[in-house]
Amino acid sequence: MKPAVLDLGVALPRYALDLCDLASARGVDPAKYASGLGGVAMGVPAPGEDTVTMAASAAASVLDRHPGAAADVGLCIVGTESATDRARPIAIEVHALAGLPAECSVFDVKHACYGATAGLHMAFLWVAANPSRKALVVAADIARYGIGSAAEPTQGAGAVALLLGMADEDEALFAPWPMTGTHAAPVHDFWQPPYLREAVVRGRYSIECYLDSLAGAYAAWLRNGGLVEGSLDRLLFHSPFPGMARKAHARLWELSRGADASGAADDFARRVAPGLAVNAGVGNCYAAAVYLSLAGLVEAEGASLQGLCLGGFSYGSGSCGEFFGGRFGRRAAAGRVGLAEALAAREPIDVAGYERARAECEALEHDGSFREDRTGAGGRFTFLGIRDHVRVYR
Ligand code: HMG
């Protein structure tokens, strides 16, 4: 038995905005978003949805499939950069809404899109030390940039909950290998100053930072005994937009095989594309993006994944990158983590509706916005607004 991912749960925001509609509204050639960035649609939260409601829905969704498991959870970590408070973690709201026990360690981890990966490290070690208990790590974020900015089509939102426990490698959904490769660099490629509503991003530079981090993390992975990337059956990359994963694959290919790119397109289609398809329809969800790809891969390939080796790259601006790997087990073969249902439950929204929903979400972020009868979130949990400085959820 070893620490492993037993199962996954997914939550997506209520609305999906077609990027062709956004391109038309912004006077941009739709081909730029579709083939330049690789995006199809982006998730848009409804008023009454926030990082907490999505994180709690993802957690409830995975716990529903494992009756009794909630009582065994002794560690609840949320990896996020969409904090709702500077002191109070999102994890304590998830703890309450998902009905976790009082004997539970509960906190958030922040490092841009890398937070959940850092949380998973801690959780695997904790599970090894507490083999009779389970841990819940939730990656949840809302990616928000300025209206009309170059980064606007790379927005999105979502949450993925990972239930961890001890399992036989063959039984788990995914059993990680202990070695990873990390790379840190003090860069200012993307950050969220507390006095601004939207992220500051140096777009082109951030792509260079990401690719440098990938090269550094992969070199560390090899030094630490990781398999050469060509021996890995599937690859996942943090996907702020699918074109970034394409660039990451090309960089990895060049690092291991040199400048000859013949065969790279087929390799991308076989090893990367199956997990990436979902990101094209959801957009960036920061900490959750690479784990959304994991969920997408499990639902896309199911039974054929059992026994296959996965390599993944998690990147958080600022920056910290990590190359990790492991093997899929029998649970992956079930191929059901609730993603298809979450995608099917979404409603299309037009550009005017998206701008309105965004303004209403912002209006809810102020004391006195509480309304008992608030509806509109559509999901399992609703953020009713703020009353006496307390965020209230139903
Ligand atoms: P931009 O300036 O609009 O785009 O910004 P561009 O002009 O560079 O064009 C983008 C691509 O579309 C290019 O392809 C163009 O050639 C192509 P490439 O050369 O890169 O392969 N293109 C077209 N294709 C077809 N038909 C056309 C057409 N026109 C152009 N007519 C950028 C793009 C991604 C920089 C912007 O959207 C942005 O700033 N996004 C946010 C930052 C980001 O996602 N960075 C990624 C790396 S950092 C990261 O992943 C961390 C992050 O997730 C945060 C965290 O860690 O918390 C962001």
Side-chain angles (χ1 to χ4, degrees):
M1 303 267 269
K2 52 196 279 195
V5 177
L6 306 177
D7 207 351
L8 302 173
V10 178
L12 299 176
R14 177 168 179 176
Y15 299 122
L17 173 64
D18 190 316
L19 290 185
C20 287
D21 294 347
L22 184 65
S24 305
R26 301 292 179 247
V28 171
D29 178 357
K32 177 174 178 182
Y33 295 172
S35 43
L37 299 177
V40 173
M42 67 186 199
V44 176
E49 279 181 321
D50 68 358
T51 322
V52 168
T53 63
M54 288 190 295
S57 295
S61 140
V62 69
L63 291 171
D64 278 355
R65 286 201 302 277
H66 298 267
D72 293 336
V73 173
L75 175 69
C76 172
I77 300 177
V78 174
T80 186
E81 56 178 292
S82 312
T84 50
D85 189 283
R86 285 204 295 270
R88 188 177 170 86
I90 286 174
I92 196 67
E93 313 294 359
V94 172
H95 175 271
L97 295 169
L100 302 182
E103 190 189 342
C104 191
S105 182
V106 176
F107 55 94
D108 289 357
V109 175
K110 176 184 75 177
H111 184 149
C113 303
Y114 175 67
T117 303
L120 277 167
H121 269 315
M122 273 184 256
F124 285 129
L125 291 171
W126 184 90
V127 164
N130 297 273
S132 63
R133 311 272 322 256
K134 294 190 169 47
L136 193 63
V137 177
V138 188
D141 266 315
I142 298 173
R144 187 171 293 161
Y145 300 101
I147 288 198
S149 69
E152 188 183 27
T154 66
Q155 297 179 119
V160 179
L162 299 98
L163 182 65
L164 273 49
M166 295 296 278
D168 286 333
E169 197 182 63
D170 292 344
E171 286 298 303
L173 186 147
F174 176 71
W177 294 319
M179 93 296 267
T180 69
T182 52
H183 183 265
V187 292
H188 274 89
D189 57 338
F190 162 104
W191 65 107
Q192 301 205 42
Y195 49 84
L196 295 180
R197 279 190 184 160
E198 286 136 11
V200 179
V201 60
R202 297 176 175 157
R204 287 264 131 208
Y205 175 59
S206 73
I207 292 173
E208 282 172 37
C209 293
Y210 177 120
L211 293 174
D212 288 349
S213 181
L214 171 64
Y218 180 61
W221 159 263
L222 292 180
R223 276 197 305 278
N224 295 340
L227 291 174
V228 289
E229 61 86 15
S231 325
L232 299 166
D233 302 298
R234 295 291 178 273
L235 294 170
L236 301 179
F237 298 101
H238 165 59
S239 171
F241 55 94
M244 188 69 242
R246 195 173 281 281
K247 289 180 198 293
H249 173 263
R251 176 62 58 90
L252 210 50
W253 179 277
E254 189 189 342
L255 287 170
S256 28
R257 299 174 178 85
D260 181 3
S262 49
D266 288 347
D267 187 68
F268 179 87
R270 182 175 62 82
R271 291 199 296 161
V272 184
L276 197 57
V278 61
N279 300 81
V282 171
N284 198 356
C285 41
Y286 293 157
V290 72
Y291 300 104
L292 186 67
S293 299
L294 177 62
L297 181 59
V298 168
E299 289 216 347
E301 297 208 67
S304 54
L305 288 179
Q306 191 172 354
L308 295 192
C309 297
L310 173 80
F313 176 64
S314 175
Y315 176 73
S317 283
S319 69
C320 188
E322 179 157 0
F323 202 94
F324 60 88
R327 196 181 286 278
F328 286 107
R330 193 181 58 81
R331 175 70 189 91
R336 309 271 311 148
V337 294
L339 179 60
E341 291 83 349
L343 287 166
R346 298 193 305 168
E347 296 166 30
I349 193 168
D350 60 16
V351 175
Y354 140 69
E355 291 177 359
R356 213 168 32 246
R358 181 176 163 134
E360 285 175 29
C361 285
E362 279 175 15
L364 271 172
E365 293 297 324
H366 297 281
D367 194 22
S369 59
F370 171 81
R371 255 187 42 205
E372 180 72 60
D373 59 348
R374 188 173 306 285
T375 55
R380 193 157 174 163
F381 304 108
T382 303
F383 169 45
L384 298 175
I386 304 178
R387 181 178 54 191
D388 298 334
H389 303 295
V390 173
R391 298 178 79 87
V392 187
Y393 293 92
R394 179 180 59 220

